[in-house]
Amino acid sequence: RQPGSAFKPVVYSAALDQGFTPSSMLLDAPIIIIDKWTKEVWRPGNDDGKFLGPMPFWQALARSRNLCTIRLVQEMGVKHVIARAKNLMLAPEFQPNLAISLGAEAVSPLNMAQAYTAFANEGKVSSPRMITSIQGPWGNTIYDAPSEHVEAISPQNAYVMANLLKGVVASGTGRKAQVLERPLGGKTGTTNDEMDAWFIGVTPYLVTATYVGYDVLQPMGKGETGSGAALPCYIYYAKEAFKAYPPDEFMRPEDGLVDVAVEEGRILPFYAGTDPISGTAGTLGYDQMVEFWGQFDPYTMNGMILSSSMMTRLLKIPELQNPLTGLNFQGTGILAAPLGAQLHRTSAVEDGTIIGIDSRYALELVRAGEVLVEYDKLIDRQLERAAITAICGFGKICDGAAKVLQA
């Protein structure tokens, strides 16, 4: 059956080896794709029918945003996704089109579990065995099937992916699995009309693919998603199955990785040399941000995102003066609503410095009374059209708004 979003880790694994990092910014916004041969129009959307604007790579996977994934494949090329799928031993003959990024090719649960073993097993794919051994009546071994492992991805890629999949459980579509109280990664998957529901759980010792669906392909009903149908089955099973295994963390490679705080309370591994402060080992904390201020611009380093609390603490440091001078978020950063609101409360921020916000954040800022009425000062600030529409639609329209819309 089609795996839906359960296929996305294959895409994100490939992207990590094509120059993307856990903090790369992806856009969750509407897209229309027209087949150049058939002229058929494809308007993919998200399961919740919403578009959340720019977000980091790790969050796009955790929240399973379809449009982010499609744009990711557009940028790096479908061929890299197909190559990664084959490296992970996935059986289908994948068609070179964008639909495969959302799990359009049918696979078996066993094959999906096999592919995910690479994320748990330092990059090695395990071959399935239906029978491990046969013992004779006197305890002698009649048949033995040794485990077979083939290196599919690098240990560094596997470890980064394992941590990204842990993010799905920590703050994404797999949050229900937190009840298991152990290091656990996973990914949900749902196909159109709730015909197939998946959850694939990953621990250092056990990878399990859970599938729910009818024998004859038909809708299961509203709410029968990977999170709503397959994940509860997995939890019921895992509560017993996990008793046989210690709650260990995933094996970390000895070298090639550095840890970086991508937001307050969340640390992720990066390939060495691709971390937001390139070449800086260890976790990037508040003190290091201050120390490296003269050498780097911490607001525009490869898409790094600062939390509200860290940004406001930096703004209070006299030596930094006004750190927003010459600031350019375009293509690298994003202001979340709480951050934008806090920045507007500081005397260091001038009118019209909100840039790169999407419609949801814009609306929240308006409701918080933090967006200035002088909209003409926001011209050339790279606001999305949806953001401007949301602001105007909230009843705050003025003469300057027309100029912004025209721009």
Side-chain angles (χ1 to χ4, degrees):
R1 296 292 178 81
Q2 291 181 338
S5 293
F7 183 81
K8 286 176 183 173
V10 178
V11 174
Y12 284 73
S13 172
L16 288 172
D17 290 339
Q18 298 301 319
F20 290 87
T21 77
S23 66
S24 295
M25 296 303 296
L26 304 176
L27 180 61
D28 181 22
I31 188 172
I32 297 176
I33 299 170
I34 302 175
D35 189 290
K36 64 179 180 180
W37 304 112
T38 66
K39 305 303 179 184
E40 291 183 357
V41 177
W42 182 36
R43 294 182 176 86
N46 293 305
D47 289 342
D48 58 6
K50 300 177 182 178
F51 303 98
L52 305 182
M55 66 178 61
F57 185 99
W58 65 265
Q59 193 176 82
L61 179 60
R63 302 177 72 170
S64 200
R65 307 310 291 177
N66 290 342
L67 281 303
C68 291
T69 307
I70 291 172
R71 285 186 168 88
L72 188 59
V73 175
Q74 277 185 317
E75 187 163 343
M76 70 173 165
V78 176
K79 64 179 182 180
H80 296 296
V81 178
I82 295 175
R84 182 51 46 92
K86 288 304 179 183
N87 290 341
L88 294 172
M89 303 295 183
L90 287 172
E93 290 299 323
F94 292 93
Q95 299 301 311
N97 58 58
L98 289 173
I100 69 169
S101 61
L102 304 183
E105 294 287 351
V107 295
S108 71
L110 177 61
N111 197 196
M112 285 301 293
Q114 179 185 11
Y116 272 64
T117 59
F119 306 138
N121 194 30
E122 301 179 78
K124 301 181 183 70
V125 171
S126 301
S127 297
R129 295 174 293 164
M130 296 301 179
I131 299 174
T132 56
S133 66
I134 300 175
Q135 303 295 315
W138 295 279
N140 58 313
T141 300
I142 299 174
Y143 171 80
D144 181 66
S147 59
E148 297 180 358
H149 308 286
V150 177
E151 186 166 343
I153 56 178
S154 69
Q156 290 77 15
N157 186 287
Y159 186 74
V160 174
M161 284 304 305
N163 279 269
L164 293 177
L165 291 173
K166 285 171 64 178
V168 176
V169 174
S171 61
T173 57
R175 287 188 298 271
K176 292 177 182 177
Q178 292 177 17
V179 70
L180 297 171
E181 298 182 336
R182 68 162 56 212
L184 170 68
K187 188 67 192 77
T188 55
T190 309
T191 59
N192 292 340
D193 301 320
E194 286 88 17
M195 292 189 182
D196 307 284
W198 298 73
F199 181 78
I200 304 179
V202 182
T203 74
Y205 301 101
L206 187 65
V207 174
T208 306
T210 307
Y211 171 83
V212 178
Y214 286 112
D215 292 344
V216 177
L217 196 61
Q218 59 180 302
M220 293 184 289
K222 186 175 178 59
E224 298 302 307
T225 62
S227 176
L231 182 51
C233 298
Y234 174 83
I235 293 171
Y236 180 82
Y237 143 87
K239 285 180 178 179
E240 291 299 319
F242 283 173
K243 292 178 181 179
Y245 304 96
D248 292 342
E249 280 286 358
F250 292 93
M251 185 68 70
R252 182 189 177 96
E254 293 183 359
D255 53 24
L257 296 172
V258 295
D259 290 336
V260 174
V262 294
E263 70 171 11
E264 192 168 9
R266 187 181 300 276
I267 297 173
L268 287 176
F270 286 66
Y271 289 177
T274 69
D275 50 293
I277 291 187
S278 183
T280 302
T283 300
L284 182 66
Y286 169 75
D287 293 335
Q288 288 171 304
M289 290 289 265
V290 178
E291 178 183 352
F292 287 104
W293 182 267
Q295 305 173 46
F296 302 98
D297 177 358
Y299 299 101
T300 59
M301 289 183 294
N302 299 336
M304 181 167 184
I305 300 173
L306 300 185
S307 66
S308 302
S309 58
M310 183 174 287
M311 181 76 93
T312 50
R313 288 171 70 186
L314 286 171
L315 285 170
K316 294 176 182 177
I317 301 173
E319 306 88 76
L320 302 186
Q321 298 177 359
N322 181 4
L324 296 179
T325 301
L327 177 60
N328 177 16
F329 276 90
Q330 187 175 1
T332 58
I334 177 67
L335 292 182
L339 177 55
Q342 291 212 36
L343 288 179
H344 268 270
R345 296 190 187 105
T346 67
S347 58
V349 182
E350 297 180 357
D351 296 349
T353 53
I354 293 183
I355 53 179
I357 58 177
D358 71 2
S359 57
R360 186 169 57 96
Y361 293 146
L363 197 55
E364 289 178 9
L365 288 173
V366 171
R367 286 172 176 158
E370 299 293 346
V371 175
L372 302 177
V373 179
E374 301 167 17
Y375 291 100
D376 55 317
K377 293 183 179 180
L378 297 179
I379 293 178
D380 298 327
R381 294 295 182 177
Q382 306 300 326
L383 270 73
E384 295 180 5
R385 179 175 293 274
I388 301 167
T389 304
I391 293 173
C392 296
F394 195 69
K396 303 284 185 177
I397 196 164
C398 64
D399 293 338
K403 298 180 182 177
V404 179
L405 287 170
Q406 186 177 6

